[in-house]
Structures are given as structure tokens and as C-alpha cells.
Amino acid sequence: KSNRERALSLIEIAHPDHREALFNKAKELGYLYTDQIYRSISANYPIKIETVKTFKDGLELKIRPIRASDEDMMRRLFYKFSDESKYYRYFTHVKVMPHKNMQRYVNIDYDKTLSIVGVLQTGSTQKIIAEARYSYYEPDNVYELAFIVNEEYQGRGIAGFLLEYLIKIAQERGIKH
């Protein structure tokens, strides 16, 4: 992990009353980007939806909500995708994912936008190999779904599980469309 990832990870597990001060101090000391955003609503992190799931070929993933500290892992996942996969996920040709865009992507409210990731643990190394999210689309008063799985791990039922899991969570939260 980078120093930035470590700093954000520590801030995420700190008591909610201290997170803002720790975040500001980490920026001041140069551990975080000067334009780094961190939503105080991360105290709303829905830990109860974390789970572990085993897929085909014994692939075990931790399924959990995305965190601000996942920015680098999500960027690494993005750059593993083919141009075709990026197009199907983002509905446009996206070649790069700069810090500014990615940090908005990982800093969510867990309410109108919920993103869950599949994390593969290999020894002491973690990597995100899948992501699924729903986001509220106000003009039509509906939620939209999107998901993607690292091409190396496709065909094991990950996308299907993430879709069903997001739908279950949405239903439990009273989301109808």
C-alpha cells in the first residue's frame, strides 16, 4: 500500500469524532493529495453488508462497500480493462482515470449511491477484482445499476452474485425502481 492508502485506511477506522482532524493533518503533512476529498459521511459505512463468498474454482472474495482508501486499487482495476469493457461499463470511450475522477468515484454517500467491491486477498496483498454499484438518477426517479469484473476472473458467477446482492440490499432499503 502507498502512504496515501495507509493514511486513508487509518482515518477510516478511527473514531468518527476524530476523522476530520486526522484527515486535515494528513493533508498538511503531505500524506494526501492537496485536493483530496473525504466525506464525513463515511461514518455511515454499512459494515453489515460485508460478506465473504466463494465462487467457481474455490475463488474466495470479500464483498464489501467501497471505501475512500480504495482509490488506487480501483485505478489498477480500471487499467486492466480492455477498451471494450471500459466502453460497456462507462458507455463512452474512457482512456484514463485521473485522481480527480477516481476520488469522486470512491467517495460515495452509501445511500443514493452504493458501490460494492470484490476483494481478493493473496497473502498480505489485496486487490479489487470486481465492482458493482447503484446510483440514483433523479430525472427519472430510478436507480441505475452498473458492474464490471476483471476479465481474468469472468465466468465464475461474480457479476451475477453482485447483481443479486445489490438488488437484495436495494429492496431492504425500500428502493423500488
Side-chain angles (χ1 to χ4, degrees), residues 154-173:
Q154 290 179 0
R156 298 184 189 201
I158 298 169
F161 174 80
L162 293 176
L163 174 64
E164 290 176 17
Y165 198 49
L166 269 183
I167 290 171
K168 177 183 177 271
I169 294 166
Q171 288 172 336
E172 290 172 356
R173 292 178 169 195

Side-chain angles (χ1 to χ4, degrees), residues 62-67 70 74 115-119 128 130-132 162:
K62 181 173 187 175
I63 309 298
R64 63 164 174 77
I66 202 166
R67 299 178 185 144
D70 291 333
M74 285 300 297
S115 173
I116 55 176
V117 293
V119 181
I128 293 175
E131 189 249 352
L162 293 176

Side-chain angles (χ1 to χ4, degrees), residues 138-149:
E138 193 167 348
D140 293 336
N141 193 31
V142 297
Y143 285 79
E144 295 180 336
L145 287 169
F147 49 95
I148 196 154
V149 177

